[in-house]
Amino acid sequence: MNIKSTWNIPPENFFLSNQDLHVWRAALDLKRDRIQEYSKWLSNDEMEKAESYYSVRDKDRYVVARGILRTILASYSGTEPAAIRFCYEENGKPVLLDPYGKKSIYFNVSHSEGLALYVFARSFNVGIDVEFMRDISEMDEIVKEFFSAKERICFDALPAGERKKVFFKWWTLKEAYTKATGRAVFHSSDEPDVLALIDEQENSWHIMGNSDDASTWSISDITPDQDCAGAIAVEGTDFNIHYWHWPNEHESVW
């Protein structure tokens, strides 16, 4: 798997084949007219979720993230953004329904601050995560609770200046995997160990302790932006990956 994150403007008629994996990034801080346009396509439950945000900025970012999600899915499925219908799995993961009530496209979305990442596939279950690399006062406590013993040893040995970057790199790898699989994580023994590197050059990661997952899952970190960490997890090992940059007409520069 080639995970080099070269973000391109998509062609006018882009197509998602059975062997494709499409990863998109998008800016979420847009002008008011664009936000209002996206809001018209959202369902009642999505608008209720938007209204639950305390700040106007967070509400607007959620609306834009969902509007872009609907736009991309509509392009893949040949319908209108407002016609997209979702249901939710037991773990809360959204699933796209086709007119016959079956899965037609696997997808996942994550956003942090003003940046969103999306991943889409027709033949592979997928997960994605992005985090703005900010200072976290409870970082050491999170490492103790959710990192494996081997990870904790390696993390503690890192120079102080490298810890934040490594923390978010490992955390997004774990989050992408758990979002893809739908598995609940309660303590470090449930987490994938990101220190078992398969191929250092390709930067692909191996699931330790589970031979089935090790042979069927691909996990890797990606670079959405210099201040963000990102990762994808794919239930497959043979696919063509494309990185697209969503061309908002009024996008901000993150």
Side-chain angles (χ1 to χ4, degrees):
M1 178 178 66
N2 179 14
I3 57 85
K4 184 179 180 181
S5 309
T6 301
W7 303 91
N8 301 302
I9 299 296
E12 184 175 351
N13 297 312
F14 53 86
F15 178 72
L16 182 68
S17 75
N18 288 335
Q19 289 303 116
D20 283 342
L21 186 76
H22 285 189
V23 181
W24 293 76
R25 70 173 184 178
L28 301 180
D29 294 327
L30 307 183
K31 291 185 177 180
R32 179 56 49 188
D33 59 343
R34 193 66 170 153
I35 296 170
Q36 291 174 344
E37 181 180 352
Y38 282 137
S39 69
K40 296 176 182 177
W41 300 337
L42 270 56
S43 63
N44 290 336
D45 63 310
E46 287 173 314
M47 288 307 300
E48 289 178 2
K49 175 66 179 295
E51 293 297 336
S52 69
Y53 285 96
Y54 178 77
S55 74
V56 173
R57 183 179 65 176
D58 289 342
K59 172 186 174 180
D60 289 344
R61 286 174 172 173
Y62 173 81
V63 168
V64 172
R66 299 299 290 194
I68 293 174
L69 172 64
R70 284 176 168 273
T71 305
I72 297 173
L73 285 171
S75 297
Y76 289 140
S77 56
T79 187
E80 296 296 323
I84 295 294
R85 292 292 178 267
F86 301 105
C87 72
Y88 296 87
E89 296 181 339
E90 185 176 350
N91 60 8
K93 185 178 180 180
V95 176
L96 174 66
L97 298 182
D98 66 18
Y100 302 100
K102 299 177 182 179
K103 293 179 181 177
S104 56
I105 298 177
Y106 294 94
F107 71 94
N108 201 225
V109 58
S110 179
H111 54 90
S112 182
E113 296 295 328
L115 178 66
L117 289 184
Y118 307 84
V119 59
F120 302 90
R122 293 192 185 274
S123 305
F124 313 99
N125 198 5
V126 291
I128 198 163
D129 192 56
V130 62
E131 293 287 346
F132 178 72
M133 292 187 290
R134 60 204 180 275
D135 292 326
I136 299 180
S137 59
E138 64 273 21
M139 183 181 298
D140 290 339
E141 288 74 16
I142 295 174
V143 170
K144 290 178 182 178
E145 183 172 359
F146 293 105
F147 283 32
S148 71
K150 183 178 179 181
E151 288 170 335
R152 292 196 298 271
I153 292 172
C154 292
F155 186 84
D156 291 342
L158 290 171
E162 296 181 14
R163 290 189 177 188
K164 180 168 69 173
K165 183 176 181 179
V166 171
F167 171 85
F168 282 105
K169 180 178 182 177
W170 291 0
W171 184 259
T172 53
L173 287 163
K174 293 170 182 288
E175 280 290 296
Y177 174 69
T178 56
K179 289 174 69 177
T181 61
R183 298 174 184 174
V185 175
F186 299 102
H187 46 73
S188 60
S189 62
D190 297 321
E191 288 273 8
D193 190 330
V194 301
L195 289 179
L197 193 62
I198 292 179
D199 187 330
E200 186 173 357
Q201 182 176 359
E202 292 296 330
N203 215 14
S204 297
W205 301 80
H206 174 84
I207 302 298
M208 287 192 66
N210 186 319
S211 58
D212 291 335
D213 281 1
S215 63
T216 59
W217 282 88
S218 301
I219 301 180
S220 62
D221 61 313
I222 58 178
T223 307
D225 178 67
Q226 63 180 359
D227 295 323
C228 293
I232 54 175
V234 187
E235 192 175 17
T237 57
D238 183 17
F239 48 82
N240 303 314
I241 189 166
H242 303 273
Y243 293 95
W244 302 125
H245 174 70
W246 181 253
N248 276 317
E249 294 179 2
H250 308 295
E251 70 177 344
S252 64
V253 177
W254 53 75

